[in-house]
Amino acid sequence: MRLDKLLAEGGFGTRSQVKRLIKKGHVEVNGEVVKDPSFQVDPLKDEVTVNGEPVCYEEEYYLVLNKPAGYVTSTKDRQMTVMELVADIPRFDKLFPVGRLDKDAEGLLLMTTDGELAHRLTHPKWKVPKTYVVKVEGRLTEEAVEPLRRGIELKDFKAKPAEVRILRSSEEESEAEITITEGKFHQVKRMFAAIGHPVKELKRVAFGPLKLGELPTGEYRHLTEEELRALRKAVKLE
């Protein structure tokens, strides 16, 4: 395996970022500094460190993808799917998205080969919070969003109380941040529609302890060891 590929999969940055780390002499293989990103290593035998920190090779894959609008959250579909965005990952055909994002929605999508973790993260028992930033029609007021904070009745179920923070408000459109612990079909859109403010844009920015951060749209990164531990801890796997 190429050294830069191993580091990227170990959560040390994008391929371009880890190449810079390697070329600046921050990486050692079996105690020797290596400055060639294409240097071949055996992740199961060679000892690789970055600034003294060991690189752990994961047989399972854990990715955060910043999903663009227009892609379907599915492994197979006649339309463009999120799988096209991770096609350069080894065993990418074994990856699957954890939960869903609507075709027109953007933002954080966790993808993995770890079935047990995915099952727990999407099971209602664990109440993993999901945070979205939405743009809605019209002026949002504290009074208007209060039903969302209390738990609003929808056609087929009552949504649990959500955390809502108004980010900006004008006559034409408003922006808000909402955190829910459920994942019903079109739930966030339905909640805002129920208070008379249809959603124009929706972006997931956090999933449990994972944050989208500054990851560019359409790109992915590997989870860090710290992120993976926090995610597993959230569903009692650690």
Side-chain angles (χ1 to χ4, degrees), residues 8 11 13-14 62-66 108 111 210-213 215 219-224 227:
T14 64
Y62 305 90
L63 311 176
V64 167
L65 169 70
N66 187 352
L108 191 160
M111 300 188 72
L210 298 182
K211 310 295 182 187
L212 182 61
L215 184 65
E219 294 192 15
Y220 68 83
R221 65 173 178 80
H222 294 261
L223 268 63
T224 65
E227 287 175 323

Side-chain angles (χ1 to χ4, degrees), residues 174-203:
S174 301
E175 191 171 84
E177 181 183 87
I178 179 169
T179 300
I180 62 174
T181 56
E182 301 162 291
K184 303 287 188 180
F185 186 65
H186 292 328
Q187 182 171 340
V188 173
K189 292 179 179 178
R190 293 170 66 193
M191 290 170 71
F192 278 95
I195 62 170
H197 293 276
V199 170
K200 299 169 67 176
E201 294 180 20
L202 183 147
K203 183 175 186 176

Side-chain angles (χ1 to χ4, degrees), residues 16-237:
S16 59
Q17 288 171 333
V18 299
K19 282 180 180 177
R20 287 195 292 270
L21 275 175
I22 295 167
K23 290 177 179 179
K24 289 181 179 180
H26 295 286
V27 181
E28 293 186 0
V29 179
N30 300 322
E32 299 290 334
V33 174
V34 174
K35 295 186 177 182
D36 179 7
S38 66
F39 186 83
Q40 293 293 311
V41 295
D42 183 337
L44 299 179
K45 295 180 179 179
D46 293 322
E47 180 181 313
V48 182
T49 60
V50 178
N51 293 323
E53 180 183 349
V55 178
C56 298
Y57 176 69
E58 293 286 349
E59 293 187 3
E60 299 281 13
Y61 286 88
Y62 305 90
L63 311 176
V64 167
L65 169 70
N66 187 352
K67 176 192 169 302
Y71 285 80
V72 177
T73 306
S74 172
T75 55
K76 294 180 181 179
D77 200 284
R78 292 181 179 179
Q79 306 175 70
M80 292 189 302
T81 76
V82 293
M83 302 305 293
E84 297 178 33
L85 302 170
V86 294
D88 60 334
I89 292 288
R91 298 194 301 140
F92 88 96
D93 57 323
K94 303 298 183 184
L95 283 166
F96 50 86
V98 180
R100 303 184 69 83
L101 277 175
D102 296 342
K103 182 180 178 181
D104 61 348
E106 302 180 2
L108 191 160
L109 183 64
L110 176 65
M111 300 188 72
T112 185
T113 55
D114 188 337
E116 175 61 21
L117 178 62
H119 171 71
R120 293 204 182 196
L121 288 170
T122 53
H123 197 285
K125 173 182 177 181
W126 301 105
K127 300 181 176 66
V128 178
K130 295 166 278 288
T131 301
Y132 303 83
V133 171
V134 295
K135 288 183 181 178
V136 302
E137 295 180 10
R139 181 182 292 279
L140 272 183
T141 64
E142 295 296 332
E143 182 180 5
V145 300
E146 191 56 33
L148 306 183
R149 293 171 175 153
R150 293 197 304 265
I152 191 168
E153 288 280 357
L154 299 176
K155 183 178 180 179
D156 53 341
F157 77 105
K158 181 177 181 179
K160 293 181 179 178
E163 296 179 17
V164 185
R165 183 164 63 98
I166 298 174
L167 302 177
R168 64 178 180 84
S169 183
S170 70
E171 290 300 324
E172 293 76 26
E173 69 173 25
S174 301
E175 191 171 84
E177 181 183 87
I178 179 169
T179 300
I180 62 174
T181 56
E182 301 162 291
K184 303 287 188 180
F185 186 65
H186 292 328
Q187 182 171 340
V188 173
K189 292 179 179 178
R190 293 170 66 193
M191 290 170 71
F192 278 95
I195 62 170
H197 293 276
V199 170
K200 299 169 67 176
E201 294 180 20
L202 183 147
K203 183 175 186 176
R204 184 190 288 157
V205 296
F207 183 68
L210 298 182
K211 310 295 182 187
L212 182 61
E214 300 301 318
L215 184 65
T217 301
E219 294 192 15
Y220 68 83
R221 65 173 178 80
H222 294 261
L223 268 63
T224 65
E225 287 294 316
E226 183 179 355
E227 287 175 323
L228 181 55
R229 283 195 299 269
L231 203 59
R232 293 176 64 85
K233 185 177 180 180
V235 291
K236 302 295 188 292
L237 282 174

